[in-house]
PDB file of all heavy atoms in Angstrom:
ATOM      1  N   THR A  15       6.285   0.531   6.302  1.00  0.00           N
ATOM      2  CA  THR A  15       7.651   0.034   6.263  1.00  0.00           C
ATOM      3  C   THR A  15       8.376   0.421   7.541  1.00  0.00           C
ATOM      4  O   THR A  15       8.080   1.435   8.161  1.00  0.00           O
ATOM      5  CB  THR A  15       8.436   0.579   5.052  1.00  0.00           C
ATOM      6  OG1 THR A  15       8.460   1.996   5.131  1.00  0.00           O
ATOM      7  CG2 THR A  15       7.810   0.125   3.753  1.00  0.00           C
ATOM      8  N   VAL A  16       9.323  -0.409   7.897  1.00  0.00           N
ATOM      9  CA  VAL A  16      10.071  -0.199   9.132  1.00  0.00           C
ATOM     10  C   VAL A  16      11.550  -0.097   8.792  1.00  0.00           C
ATOM     11  O   VAL A  16      12.081  -0.900   8.026  1.00  0.00           O
ATOM     12  CB  VAL A  16       9.836  -1.362  10.116  1.00  0.00           C
ATOM     13  CG1 VAL A  16      10.704  -1.219  11.351  1.00  0.00           C
ATOM     14  CG2 VAL A  16       8.366  -1.444  10.501  1.00  0.00           C
ATOM     15  N   GLY A  17      12.197   0.887   9.365  1.00  0.00           N
ATOM     16  CA  GLY A  17      13.642   1.003   9.289  1.00  0.00           C
ATOM     17  C   GLY A  17      14.229   0.582  10.618  1.00  0.00           C
ATOM     18  O   GLY A  17      13.619   0.793  11.672  1.00  0.00           O
ATOM     19  N   ILE A  18      15.359  -0.050  10.581  1.00  0.00           N
ATOM     20  CA  ILE A  18      16.007  -0.514  11.799  1.00  0.00           C
ATOM     21  C   ILE A  18      17.251   0.332  12.029  1.00  0.00           C
ATOM     22  O   ILE A  18      18.131   0.400  11.170  1.00  0.00           O
ATOM     23  CB  ILE A  18      16.388  -2.000  11.681  1.00  0.00           C
ATOM     24  CG1 ILE A  18      15.141  -2.832  11.328  1.00  0.00           C
ATOM     25  CG2 ILE A  18      17.027  -2.494  12.974  1.00  0.00           C
ATOM     26  CD1 ILE A  18      15.448  -4.135  10.651  1.00  0.00           C
ATOM     27  N   ALA A  19      17.281   1.007  13.163  1.00  0.00           N
ATOM     28  CA  ALA A  19      18.390   1.904  13.486  1.00  0.00           C
ATOM     29  C   ALA A  19      19.275   1.282  14.551  1.00  0.00           C
ATOM     30  O   ALA A  19      18.797   0.620  15.469  1.00  0.00           O
ATOM     31  CB  ALA A  19      17.855   3.243  13.981  1.00  0.00           C
ATOM     32  N   ARG A  20      20.549   1.524  14.411  1.00  0.00           N
ATOM     33  CA  ARG A  20      21.512   1.068  15.411  1.00  0.00           C
ATOM     34  C   ARG A  20      22.662   2.062  15.442  1.00  0.00           C
ATOM     35  O   ARG A  20      23.117   2.516  14.386  1.00  0.00           O
ATOM     36  CB  ARG A  20      22.025  -0.321  15.052  1.00  0.00           C
ATOM     37  CG  ARG A  20      22.984  -0.872  16.074  1.00  0.00           C
ATOM     38  CD  ARG A  20      23.172  -2.342  15.914  1.00  0.00           C
ATOM     39  NE  ARG A  20      24.148  -2.813  16.878  1.00  0.00           N
ATOM     40  CZ  ARG A  20      24.642  -4.022  16.884  1.00  0.00           C
ATOM     41  NH1 ARG A  20      24.235  -4.905  16.001  1.00  0.00           N
ATOM     42  NH2 ARG A  20      25.524  -4.375  17.772  1.00  0.00           N
ATOM     43  N   THR A  21      23.105   2.404  16.632  1.00  0.00           N
ATOM     44  CA  THR A  21      24.239   3.304  16.790  1.00  0.00           C
ATOM     45  C   THR A  21      25.375   2.527  17.436  1.00  0.00           C
ATOM     46  O   THR A  21      25.170   1.845  18.441  1.00  0.00           O
ATOM     47  CB  THR A  21      23.865   4.533  17.639  1.00  0.00           C
ATOM     48  OG1 THR A  21      22.783   5.215  16.993  1.00  0.00           O
ATOM     49  CG2 THR A  21      25.033   5.485  17.788  1.00  0.00           C
ATOM     50  N   VAL A  22      26.557   2.630  16.823  1.00  0.00           N
ATOM     51  CA  VAL A  22      27.738   1.939  17.330  1.00  0.00           C
ATOM     52  C   VAL A  22      28.821   2.977  17.610  1.00  0.00           C
ATOM     53  O   VAL A  22      28.858   4.034  16.990  1.00  0.00           O
ATOM     54  CB  VAL A  22      28.247   0.868  16.342  1.00  0.00           C
ATOM     55  CG1 VAL A  22      27.223  -0.241  16.161  1.00  0.00           C
ATOM     56  CG2 VAL A  22      28.603   1.473  14.997  1.00  0.00           C
ATOM     57  N   ASP A  23      29.674   2.664  18.548  1.00  0.00           N
ATOM     58  CA  ASP A  23      30.800   3.539  18.852  1.00  0.00           C
ATOM     59  C   ASP A  23      31.931   3.257  17.875  1.00  0.00           C
ATOM     60  O   ASP A  23      32.223   2.097  17.567  1.00  0.00           O
ATOM     61  CB  ASP A  23      31.289   3.316  20.284  1.00  0.00           C
ATOM     62  CG  ASP A  23      30.299   3.798  21.317  1.00  0.00           C
ATOM     63  OD1 ASP A  23      29.646   4.833  21.072  1.00  0.00           O
ATOM     64  OD2 ASP A  23      30.167   3.159  22.371  1.00  0.00           O
ATOM     65  N   THR A  24      32.560   4.317  17.391  1.00  0.00           N
ATOM     66  CA  THR A  24      33.724   4.192  16.517  1.00  0.00           C
ATOM     67  C   THR A  24      34.785   5.173  17.015  1.00  0.00           C
ATOM     68  O   THR A  24      34.465   6.085  17.783  1.00  0.00           O
ATOM     69  CB  THR A  24      33.390   4.534  15.048  1.00  0.00           C
ATOM     70  OG1 THR A  24      33.241   5.953  14.913  1.00  0.00           O
ATOM     71  CG2 THR A  24      32.141   3.822  14.557  1.00  0.00           C
ATOM     72  N   PRO A  25      36.020   5.028  16.582  1.00  0.00           N
ATOM     73  CA  PRO A  25      37.050   6.005  16.947  1.00  0.00           C
ATOM     74  C   PRO A  25      36.718   7.429  16.484  1.00  0.00           C
ATOM     75  O   PRO A  25      37.248   8.391  17.024  1.00  0.00           O
ATOM     76  CB  PRO A  25      38.304   5.479  16.238  1.00  0.00           C
ATOM     77  CG  PRO A  25      38.071   4.016  16.109  1.00  0.00           C
ATOM     78  CD  PRO A  25      36.586   3.875  15.874  1.00  0.00           C
ATOM     79  N   ASP A  26      35.822   7.551  15.500  1.00  0.00           N
ATOM     80  CA  ASP A  26      35.423   8.865  15.005  1.00  0.00           C
ATOM     81  C   ASP A  26      34.127   9.364  15.644  1.00  0.00           C
ATOM     82  O   ASP A  26      33.587  10.377  15.207  1.00  0.00           O
ATOM     83  CB  ASP A  26      35.269   8.824  13.482  1.00  0.00           C
ATOM     84  CG  ASP A  26      36.603   8.581  12.792  1.00  0.00           C
ATOM     85  OD1 ASP A  26      37.608   9.185  13.217  1.00  0.00           O
ATOM     86  OD2 ASP A  26      36.639   7.788  11.829  1.00  0.00           O
TER      87      ASP A  26
END
Side-chain angles (χ1 to χ4, degrees):
T15 59
V16 175
I18 305 156
R20 182 164 177 188
T21 301
V22 296
D23 291 324
T24 74
D26 294 318

